[in-house]
Amino acid sequence: MKLNIAVLPGDGIGPEVTAQAVKVLKAIAMEFNHVFTFKKALIGASAIDKTGHPLPEETIDVCKGSDAILFGAIGHTKYNNDTSTNVRPEQGLLELRKTFDLYSNIRPVIAYDDLLHKSSLKVKQIRGTNILIYRELTGGIYFGDKTFSEDGNRATDICSYSRFEIERIAHQAFKAAQSRKRKLTLVDKANVLASSKLWRRVVLEIASQYPDVELKCIYIDNAAMELIINPKQFDVILTENMFGDILSEEASVIVGSIGLLASASKGDKHVMFEPIHGAYTKAANKGIANPIASILSAALLLDHFGLVDEAALIRAGVDKSLHLQITTPDLNTKYDHITTTKVGDFIEDFINNPNETNLNFKNIHLGQSTII
Ligand code: IPM
Ligand code: MN
């Protein structure tokens, strides 16, 4: 298969982790005789620094000419306390999602047996967790009208949703549930918010078209608690933009590190694949950033194009690296010498030689034999 992939590394740790995902995709292309071409473009703080805009026209053109976008991370700490309404790096990502109508953000949350003890939660509560979050990505409070009063003492953000915006992602979430445990949970705040009332009405209506799916509707405050008390009760979660942002980051506690969570952002014409983590500016260029979320985002990209064996091979490489503790320091307290690049190299080599023994991997890639 031929695929043109737009690569938007972005800011902070984005370039380092994205480089590992590209490396892994190149190994897959070699192994399976695909032709993947990569074209880089600027976004975020690095784009502001170079062009004055967080999403330059040229980047939009590169994305338009691609089959898929691979995105890294966005943001910079220098903007943290900047509350002016001036241009911010995050606008680049939001504009990108809007421009390409990437309304459905799919975030898998899977607890790895090898990492259960890394979570702050109890092992018996999280073992076996496998949740798919459908986060609406182009509507809600993120994109509603925003105002700042002239005296600077009042501000508003409008949370607005139309039936159409809810329907299109709801159908996807119901269909995903049909192919899983047939359980869908709508998370809203329908006891207070008008937009949530519309979500609930529309989703309850649609439910009659999916009689094999058990639908539950719960409030966001309750969901935030249930997600860490008993994550296994969830199969597919459907929710609006901001609730999905918060819940998915909370869910990373189950998995052990936010550096593991990948996502796919899909529209009807375009697709993008992005880790859920941010730019983590202070970790940039230190070789400590976990590349797995980016590598697993690449696996989601392959899944999207039906390259399921290829995606499975990447996941097997990730599993192996976690099992052997060939991981960055966020997960690895035992060995502090395993860098972002080494994790990528390990998974790349696994793809090239999936049947090698563990011992060889360790010796070749770590240059030592002490951690057998
Ligand atoms: C995410 C991020 C973004 C969001 C930011 C960087 C705008 O937190 O992808 O979850 O809030 O959607
Ligand atoms: Mn987020």
Side-chain angles (χ1 to χ4, degrees), residues 287-308:
I288 59 172
N290 192 337
I292 290 187
S294 186
I295 291 171
L296 289 176
S297 298
L300 290 173
L301 183 156
L302 297 173
D303 274 337
H304 176 79
F305 291 101
L307 304 178
V308 287

Side-chain angles (χ1 to χ4, degrees), residues 74 90 93-94 97 107 135 137 142 245 274 276:
I74 212 158
E90 290 81 359
L93 178 58
L94 299 178
R97 289 172 177 169
R107 300 185 157 185
R135 167 189 176 194
L137 203 59
Y142 273 55
D245 179 43
E274 44 175 324
I276 84 154

Side-chain angles (χ1 to χ4, degrees), residues 255-317:
V255 186
S257 168
I258 193 166
L260 294 167
L261 291 202
S263 84
S265 302
K266 299 188 180 185
D268 295 330
K269 295 202 188 90
H270 300 273
V271 282
M272 177 158 90
F273 300 87
E274 44 175 324
I276 84 154
H277 62 68
Y280 194 13
T281 315
K282 62 177 189 290
N285 303 316
K286 292 191 178 144
I288 59 172
N290 192 337
I292 290 187
S294 186
I295 291 171
L296 289 176
S297 298
L300 290 173
L301 183 156
L302 297 173
D303 274 337
H304 176 79
F305 291 101
L307 304 178
V308 287
D309 292 343
E310 291 81 338
L313 188 55
I314 293 184
R315 291 194 184 101

Side-chain angles (χ1 to χ4, degrees), residues 83-94:
T83 55
S84 70
T85 50
N86 293 338
V87 68
R88 284 189 66 96
E90 290 81 359
Q91 286 163 6
L93 178 58
L94 299 178

